[in-house]
Amino acid sequence: ILSLGLSACSKPKSGSPNPSQGTPAPAASAPAASPSADTTSRPHAGDCYQFSTTGGDDLTIVSCNQPHDAETFHAFEFRGDKFPTDDELDQASDEICGLMFEYYVGKPVADSTLDYDWVGPDENVWAQGDHIIECYAFAKDDSKLNRSIWNSNM
């Protein structure tokens, strides 16, 4: 079981980055983290998992070929020294996750049976150097997924 030290955020699926305090930067590969940031306990793109049944932040990574709740499809680093405002995080995360959703799944979220959300650091985690935003997808009807969503056109 995996426990995330991140706080989930959810906003409307539209917007554009506001770089007044920092700029989002897509992570082409695993981002370099500061020595105090823990990157080993988070899902990576292509990881499928079950959410906690007790309402906590625990995730169980499972094979994408067995029933699961969600799949991580992208992660990026929000650059900047100051913790961004909620609006800046929401706009940047929504913009980037929305674009990457279409690339990863093969169709825009508006035409998909899937939806997406994102999870990012709270202010304490940010101060430790972890500025990673993770995008994940799940079934709009909350049903279980039974395969990877990569190039699925779901």
Side-chain angles (χ1 to χ4, degrees):
I1 293 183
L2 174 64
S3 181
L4 292 178
L6 304 173
S7 60
C9 300
S10 176
K11 292 295 174 190
K13 306 297 184 242
S14 64
S16 61
N18 179 347
S20 67
Q21 289 186 12
T23 55
S29 60
S34 73
S36 61
D38 178 10
T39 59
T40 60
S41 64
R42 75 170 97 235
H44 297 86
D47 283 347
C48 297
Y49 47 90
Q50 296 282 90
F51 295 127
S52 170
T53 56
T54 61
D57 289 338
D58 292 337
L59 302 175
T60 303
I61 295 178
V62 297
S63 166
C64 292
N65 294 325
Q66 71 182 59
H68 56 279
D69 295 316
E71 181 174 337
T72 296
F73 62 89
H74 186 66
F76 66 94
E77 181 178 9
F78 197 104
R79 294 187 183 153
D81 294 328
K82 295 172 76 175
F83 186 68
T85 66
D86 287 344
D87 285 343
E88 289 171 325
L89 276 173
D90 292 340
Q91 290 174 355
S93 299
D94 185 55
E95 178 82 12
I96 292 171
C97 291
L99 291 171
M100 293 309 296
F101 177 95
E102 185 170 352
Y103 169 77
Y104 194 87
V105 174
K107 66 170 49 174
V109 72
D111 300 331
S112 177
T113 60
L114 304 171
D115 202 351
Y116 70 88
D117 206 345
W118 58 272
V119 63
D122 63 21
E123 198 162 357
N124 292 328
V125 172
W126 181 278
Q128 295 174 8
D130 185 345
H131 302 177
I132 303 300
I133 307 295
E134 297 168 31
C135 310
Y136 65 94
F138 54 92
K140 284 181 180 176
D141 66 1
D142 291 325
S143 63
K144 297 286 186 184
L145 301 170
N146 292 302
R147 64 182 178 128
S148 174
I149 63 167
W150 166 248
N151 208 23
S152 66
N153 288 304
M154 294 173 73

